[in-house]
Amino acid sequence: MSTTGAIAHLTVKSPDQMQELGRRLAPLLRPGDLVLLTGELGAGKTTLTRGLGEGLGVRGAVTSPTFVIARVHPSLTGGPALVHADAYRLGGGLDEMEDLDLDVSLPESVVVVEWGEGKVEELSEDRLHVVIGRAVGSDGPGGAPEADVAEVDDVREVTVTGFGARWADAGLPALETC
């Protein structure tokens, strides 16, 4: 069973900051890393992955893989490729995900799976789980004055949790400082 290695908690106030978080997280990643992204529709999962792609120096625009299920972005810098998968439409758990051959890609790539919670954890005991949620008070009309609703709607609480020995000293708490 995996143990928690490290945790970082952040408040992200805009899509630009979410993308920047991805750029800051990218240097901590290496080939073989599995990253699970959890959050409601529109939470910022793909925006975070876009930042990861920029930070890893991969080819191609990082866009939502919802309809193609998985995209591979080769490295332009000699680093690992980014495999970006979306498990939203897959209901069969790891059995259905195995058809994507993520286990084959994992050793030499950074594999990011949106909506992967409960579906792909068995791919690796060492994994990173990023949970993105709306900030408290941003759910409805009473959360902020009307002029500030758009700004408040962009605020996200992000928890980055490392599981396994790989993440014990990987520097996740440093993400909390900007």
Side-chain angles (χ1 to χ4, degrees), residues 27-171:
L28 303 179
L29 299 174
R30 61 186 186 205
D33 282 342
L34 173 64
V35 181
L36 280 70
L37 302 180
T38 300
E40 62 189 37
L41 286 171
K45 297 178 297 295
T46 299
T47 302
L48 177 76
T49 306
R50 190 171 298 119
L52 287 173
E54 289 175 10
L56 291 170
V58 300
R59 185 178 70 211
V62 176
T63 59
S64 177
T66 299
F67 297 104
V68 295
I69 310 299
R71 284 194 170 100
V72 178
H73 299 274
S75 175
L76 295 171
T77 63
L82 172 66
V83 177
H84 184 199
D86 188 326
Y88 184 73
R89 298 186 184 284
L90 303 178
L94 191 59
D95 291 339
E96 204 167 340
M97 292 299 288
E98 281 180 347
D99 291 340
L100 299 177
D101 289 331
L102 294 180
D103 55 333
V104 173
S105 300
L106 188 58
E108 68 272 355
S109 305
V110 171
V111 176
V112 176
V113 183
E114 295 188 25
W115 304 97
E117 185 176 17
K119 297 179 181 178
V120 298
E121 289 90 340
E122 293 175 33
L123 286 173
S124 178
E125 284 213 13
D126 294 316
R127 63 187 177 280
L128 199 59
H129 190 177
V130 181
V131 178
I132 306 168
R134 291 195 187 279
V136 175
S138 63
D139 291 339
E146 229 174 280
D148 297 334
V149 169
E151 275 184 30
V152 171
D153 191 48
D154 286 341
V155 177
R156 302 290 189 261
E157 296 297 332
V158 180
T159 302
V160 182
T161 307
F163 290 90
R166 152 77 176 99
W167 294 102
D169 296 316

